[in-house]
């Protein structure tokens, strides 16, 4: 094997930030942007609004709300069995490929509750119900429980959720409206897809991942998808890819012509929402966040919203509103210098202007504590 160039964390970070539209805001519409990113993690309903604001020039909340209402984008369980915002086409391409992750989650969480159950029959019953009417999980569980009265209603709903492609329909995740989570089948909501043979291959999906997140190792790709044993797929792709090494010796794959900026390329302050895929799509995330800071970002309830300085996560943030005042609490994990504090405060003010245009604004930049405690 020829010598492989070594890429350190900073070089990897700049490459990924360039592809994630985080070195400069892009002139893109919301649908092309979501497609370029191979979806956006969206279990927090409003997270993609902040994720698109930080990546796109002149983004407004109605751009995403309209795309959801018009069914040009939808929210569905995909990679890592988590809710993602994707195009209908990508939902049809990705769901069959990542189905093993949803099967595994069902087996792990509800193995005993579904032992001996005809899961296919439950999935078929759920599909029939949700083809007709969008239902909450409680409503779906109650109707399924009438058919299987000796089974736990929650387990029955998870069988349907994990075996049938389901969309969380508006007004859920519509900015300023919100609402209870209701599910419909993807086919009833977005229309039936093309013949399965016409869908992109797993190899094509991996190439798109590299375009959005690379350079990446086999372990990185498996982490993003929630899948295992992808090495043979990468070996089939090897002739059309470039390879590199991390400083620790791990092999990385990448598209030959993908951007790999100079490690010293300026990276502006960026605010990321909770669960942003930038922080969830690599096995080794030190290209954008240290292992120490990652422990401060992850909580028992999930992942805190974060902000980046010079291409790396440097703290967390929280937006609150009381009466007419919106406050952005900014919590650095370690001290910022004067220029960094000024840049963070300026970007925080822009975030407030986007999220709370009708409120009085208050940016509070805290003094770092040894534990990086949440404000």
């Amino acid at each position: 094997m020829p010598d492989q160039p070594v890429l350190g964390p900073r070089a990897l970070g700049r490459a990924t930030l360039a592809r994630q539209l985080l070195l400069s805001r892009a002139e893109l519409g919301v649908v092309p942007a979501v497609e370029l990113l191979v979806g956006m993690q969206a279990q927090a309903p409003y997270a993609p609004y902040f994720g698109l604001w930080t990546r796109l020039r002149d983004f407004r909340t109605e751009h995403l709300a309209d795309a959801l209402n018009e069914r040009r984008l939808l929210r569905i369980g995909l990679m890592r069995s988590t809710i993602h915002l994707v195009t209908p086409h990508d939902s049809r391409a990705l769901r069959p490929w990542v189905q093993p992750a949803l099967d595994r989650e069902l087996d792990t969480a509800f193995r005993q509750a579904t032992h001996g159950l005809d899961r296919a029959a439950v999935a078929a019953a759920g599909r029939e119900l949700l083809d007709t009417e969008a239902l909450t999980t409680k409503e779906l569980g109650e109707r399924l429980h009438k058919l299987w009265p000796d089974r736990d209603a929650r387990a029955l709903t998870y069988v349907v959720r994990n075996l049938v492609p389901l969309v969380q329909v508006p007004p859920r995740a519509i900015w300023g409206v919100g609402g209870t989570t209701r599910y419909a089948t993807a086919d009833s909501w977005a229309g039936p897809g093309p013949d399965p043979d016409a869908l992109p291959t797993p190899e094509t999906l991996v190439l798109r991942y590299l375009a959005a997140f690379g350079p990446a190792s086999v372990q990185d790709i498996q982490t993003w998808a929630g899948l295992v044993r992808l090495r043979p797929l990468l070996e089939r792709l090897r002739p059309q890819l470039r390879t590199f090494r991390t400083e620790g010796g791990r092999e990385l794959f990448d598209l030959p012509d993908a951007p790999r900026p100079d490690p010293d390329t300026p990276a502006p302050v960026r605010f990321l929402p909770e669960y942003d895929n930038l922080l969830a799509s690599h096995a080794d995330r030190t290209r954008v966040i240290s292992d120490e800071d990652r422990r401060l970002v992850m909580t028992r309830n999930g992942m805190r919203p974060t902000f980046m300085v010079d291409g790396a996560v440097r703290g967390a943030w929280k937006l609150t509103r009381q009466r007419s005042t919106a406050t952005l609490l900014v919590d650095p994990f370690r001290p910022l210098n004067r220029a960094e504090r000024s840049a963070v405060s300026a970007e925080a003010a822009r975030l407030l202007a986007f999220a709370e245009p009708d409120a009085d604004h208050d940016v509070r930049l805290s003094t770092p504590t040894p534990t990086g405690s949440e404000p």
Side-chain angles (χ1 to χ4, degrees):
M1 182 179 297
D3 289 341
Q4 297 170 313
V6 173
L7 297 177
R10 191 175 175 92
L12 289 172
R14 290 302 190 269
T16 305
L17 293 176
R19 303 171 201 201
Q20 285 285 305
L21 312 179
L22 291 168
L23 288 183
S24 61
R25 286 184 165 95
E27 297 268 9
L28 276 178
V30 296
V31 174
V34 170
E35 191 171 42
L36 182 150
L37 298 169
V38 203
M40 301 182 73
Q41 197 147 318
Q43 66 263 47
Y46 289 166
Y49 290 88
F50 293 100
L52 289 167
W53 169 80
T54 208
R55 289 173 167 91
L56 303 182
R57 195 169 297 173
D58 301 322
F59 172 75
R60 299 197 302 272
T61 56
E62 59 264 31
H63 295 160
L64 176 50
D66 289 347
L68 286 166
N69 280 322
E70 295 164 6
R71 310 187 188 194
R72 292 181 288 125
L73 292 172
L74 49 82
R75 300 171 67 249
I76 185 172
L78 291 173
M79 286 75 74
R80 307 179 298 281
S81 191
T82 57
I83 298 298
H84 273 71
L85 175 75
V86 292
T87 65
H89 180 271
D90 277 354
S91 75
R92 299 180 185 111
L94 288 161
R95 181 61 184 246
W97 186 50
V98 302
Q99 184 60 47
L102 289 105
D103 294 340
R104 187 169 62 249
E105 182 194 50
L106 186 60
D107 286 338
T108 300
F110 294 99
R111 178 182 296 275
Q112 184 173 350
T114 61
H115 179 72
L117 179 66
D118 187 341
R119 292 181 178 181
V122 175
R127 183 187 294 274
E128 184 175 354
L129 288 167
L130 295 171
D131 272 340
T132 304
E133 179 184 7
L135 300 173
T136 66
T137 53
K138 183 174 184 294
E139 291 166 343
L140 177 61
E142 288 172 347
R143 299 188 190 192
L144 292 171
H145 190 60
K146 291 179 180 178
L147 301 174
W148 285 272
D150 59 332
R151 296 289 182 165
D152 176 69
R154 184 166 177 263
L156 293 170
T157 61
Y158 262 81
V159 169
V160 178
R161 186 264 187 194
N162 283 41
L163 298 187
V164 181
L166 302 182
V167 175
Q168 292 189 6
V169 303
R172 181 70 170 172
I174 299 300
W175 185 273
V177 180
T180 303
T181 302
R182 290 185 175 273
Y183 289 97
T185 63
D187 284 349
S188 68
W189 183 253
D195 187 286
D197 292 337
L199 291 173
T201 64
E203 287 82 357
T204 299
L205 298 175
V206 167
L207 294 176
R208 288 185 58 196
Y209 166 83
L210 291 175
F213 294 95
S217 67
V218 173
Q219 293 82 359
D220 291 329
I221 300 166
Q222 292 179 164
T223 295
W224 167 71
L227 300 175
V228 296
R229 294 187 287 277
L230 294 185
R231 169 68 67 177
L233 188 155
L234 267 297
E235 293 300 332
R236 292 194 295 273
L237 288 172
R238 183 183 290 276
Q240 58 186 288
L241 298 175
R242 281 198 67 184
T243 58
F244 301 87
R245 291 276 173 187
T246 67
E247 292 177 342
R250 178 163 287 179
E251 186 176 40
L252 303 169
F253 295 86
D254 204 8
L255 305 178
D257 299 325
R260 287 178 288 273
D262 186 285
D264 292 325
T265 300
V269 170
R270 289 291 183 255
F271 280 74
L272 299 173
E274 61 266 57
Y275 305 109
D276 195 279
N277 265 346
L278 177 71
L279 304 183
S281 300
H282 298 89
D284 179 359
R285 302 169 201 188
T286 55
R287 66 182 67 193
V288 290
I289 185 171
S290 69
D291 290 335
E292 177 186 3
D293 287 350
R294 184 179 169 193
R295 288 191 288 270
L296 300 177
V297 167
M298 303 305 299
T299 72
R300 282 176 291 183
N301 297 321
M303 183 189 294
R304 299 165 67 185
T306 58
F307 68 89
M308 306 183 77
V309 177
D310 190 28
V313 169
R314 290 288 297 277
W317 61 273
K318 180 188 291 186
L319 179 61
T320 64
R321 179 160 178 170
Q322 289 187 333
R323 299 185 178 89
S324 63
T325 299
T327 301
L328 193 67
L329 304 167
V330 183
D331 178 30
F333 295 153
R334 59 190 54 81
L336 304 172
N337 64 36
R338 181 177 297 179
E340 291 170 341
R341 289 179 68 87
S342 176
V344 169
S345 296
E347 187 70 1
R350 286 189 283 270
L351 188 153
L352 277 173
F354 159 75
E356 298 285 355
D358 61 340
D360 297 325
H361 297 159
D362 181 18
V363 174
R364 297 185 184 179
L365 191 56
S366 70
T367 300
T369 63
T371 59
S373 59
E374 191 169 357

